[in-house]
Amino acid sequence: MGSTSKDADSTGIPSIADPSLPLVDSYTYHSPTPSAPGPYILGVDEAGRGPVLGPLVYGVAYCPVAYKESLEELGFADSKTLTAQIRSSLLETLGSDPANLGWSVRVLSPKAISAGMLRRPPVNLNQQSQEATVLLIREVLARGIQLSEVYVDALGKTGPYEQYLSSLFPDISFTVTAKADQKFKIVGAASVAAKVTRDAWIEGWVYEEHHNLDTAESAAKAASIPARWAEETGSGYPSDPKTQAWIKNSLDPTFGYPSLVRFSWATIKVVLEKDAHPVEWTDDGQASLVKAFESATGRDKDRCIVAKDLNLKSVGML
């Protein structure tokens, strides 16, 4: 799912097309493409990597190399050090000079994150993060933007990641480093785009489980919807007391949690194993099939019902 600036919603967050709809699938948003001549610099940062609730959002911001000095004066910084009001104001600043400033976000839904991490073989969060970053860079290039320098905020061993990106985009100079949002204003701008988008999703979260109710039955079923889902979720981080309270109070022992939750997180797995009803997965007819292939005892040891019915013997018995 993708969107453009034409989908700007009434809340003033252009990266959320329709805040009345639940976030089910991951999607990408692009601001209008700047028209100033290149080459351009681009910054990459994320918001929501650690939380157990809500989406992970990757953001990029870009501007001409010649615009660097002007960028320094706009106030961009690590979004975590800014108030929500200042972040919102800076997002508006990102859209105030469309000839020179552009930005995009890739929103990974909690359902998509869990599906990737729980599949076999799993696609871990690092892989999903790299895929989001590469996708954003590719799509910015596809919009006709000439990139010469890209700065990426990353944790852990940055060298191999920098080499990986350089191998994919050999004509671009990459700098992958920790705290890049503090070192480079263009990364700070990307940080603001990602953080404001994630916060808007969390604060206005629409539960898919509520939204999918049939219109005719909504009123009748409204009373049965767990009111605790409407309680404050906190930041979504497992260490947040408000988030811990939400996790504790929102568990349905049979159905688990709503799709706001990242089921692949150890925090959730532990609660489900401890407090939810145990589940035994048995397909229709599987029990009798298992019985048919169980080994017998005594003289028929190591021979299942199927083998006896077909009068099959092992070579050792001939």
Side-chain angles (χ1 to χ4, degrees):
M1 179 169 66
S3 62
T4 66
S5 57
K6 294 181 180 180
D7 299 314
D9 63 87
S10 58
T11 65
I13 307 297
S15 49
I16 299 181
D18 187 345
S20 69
L21 297 178
L23 174 60
V24 179
D25 300 315
S26 301
Y27 72 93
T28 306
Y29 164 84
H30 295 287
S31 72
T33 305
S35 56
Y40 279 67
I41 60 173
L42 179 144
V44 183
D45 201 3
E46 53 77 21
R49 182 179 174 84
V52 68
L53 304 179
L56 166 60
V57 180
Y58 264 80
V60 300
Y62 47 100
C63 71
V65 173
Y67 194 78
K68 268 187 176 182
E69 289 187 13
S70 299
L71 183 69
E72 293 289 328
E73 301 173 359
L74 297 181
F76 290 108
D78 175 7
S79 64
K80 295 185 291 295
T81 66
L82 306 172
T83 65
Q85 184 178 1
I86 292 177
R87 288 194 296 264
S88 296
S89 175
L90 286 173
L91 187 66
E92 293 180 4
T93 299
L94 262 180
S96 66
D97 190 354
N100 288 290
L101 292 171
W103 62 283
S104 308
V105 292
R106 177 67 179 169
V107 178
L108 304 181
S109 70
K111 181 180 289 188
I113 293 171
S114 298
M117 294 181 69
L118 295 174
R119 63 176 291 185
R120 292 292 180 269
V123 181
N124 64 36
L125 199 62
N126 285 339
Q127 291 174 279
Q128 294 186 49
S129 298
Q130 290 183 13
E131 290 172 0
T133 299
V134 170
L135 175 67
L136 286 169
I137 294 173
R138 288 194 193 282
E139 293 192 352
V140 169
L141 290 170
R143 294 166 74 84
I145 297 297
Q146 177 194 358
L147 297 176
S148 61
E149 304 167 35
V150 171
Y151 302 89
V152 183
D153 188 272
L155 301 173
K157 296 181 178 179
T158 58
Y161 188 21
E162 186 173 300
Q163 294 172 8
Y164 169 70
L165 291 173
S166 297
S167 70
L168 294 179
F169 306 98
D171 296 329
I172 300 174
S173 173
F174 281 90
T175 300
V176 180
T177 180
K179 302 187 184 301
D181 48 4
Q182 300 176 18
K183 301 173 183 176
F184 307 102
K185 295 298 183 182
I186 196 66
V187 181
S191 173
V192 166
K195 177 66 172 171
V196 172
T197 300
R198 173 179 156 82
D199 285 353
W201 270 118
I202 292 295
E203 292 166 8
W205 188 262
V206 176
Y207 286 97
E208 178 187 2
E209 295 76 9
H210 295 188
H211 190 269
N212 287 340
L213 289 177
D214 182 84
T215 305
E217 299 178 314
S218 293
K221 290 186 176 181
S224 66
I225 297 174
R228 57 182 173 270
W229 289 359
E231 295 176 359
E232 187 175 358
T233 61
S235 65
Y237 283 89
S239 59
D240 186 335
K242 292 181 179 179
T243 299
Q244 293 174 357
W246 187 93
I247 291 172
K248 178 181 178 180
N249 297 329
S250 297
L251 175 66
D252 183 293
T254 301
F255 299 105
Y257 291 104
S259 58
L260 169 65
V261 169
R262 301 179 187 178
F263 289 91
S264 49
W265 254 235
T267 303
I268 296 300
K269 291 180 179 179
V270 169
V271 174
L272 289 173
E273 291 175 1
K274 178 183 177 182
D275 299 324
H277 297 318
V279 177
E280 180 179 346
W281 299 99
T282 304
D283 294 335
D284 291 341
Q286 184 177 351
S288 59
L289 186 63
V290 170
K291 182 69 177 177
F293 282 91
E294 283 182 346
S295 295
T297 56
R299 295 182 59 186
D300 287 325
K301 186 176 182 297
D302 297 327
R303 297 183 70 210
C304 64
I305 295 174
V306 173
K308 288 191 291 183
D309 286 347
L310 297 176
N311 198 30
L312 299 177
K313 299 180 180 180
S314 71
V315 251
M317 297 175 64
L318 298 177

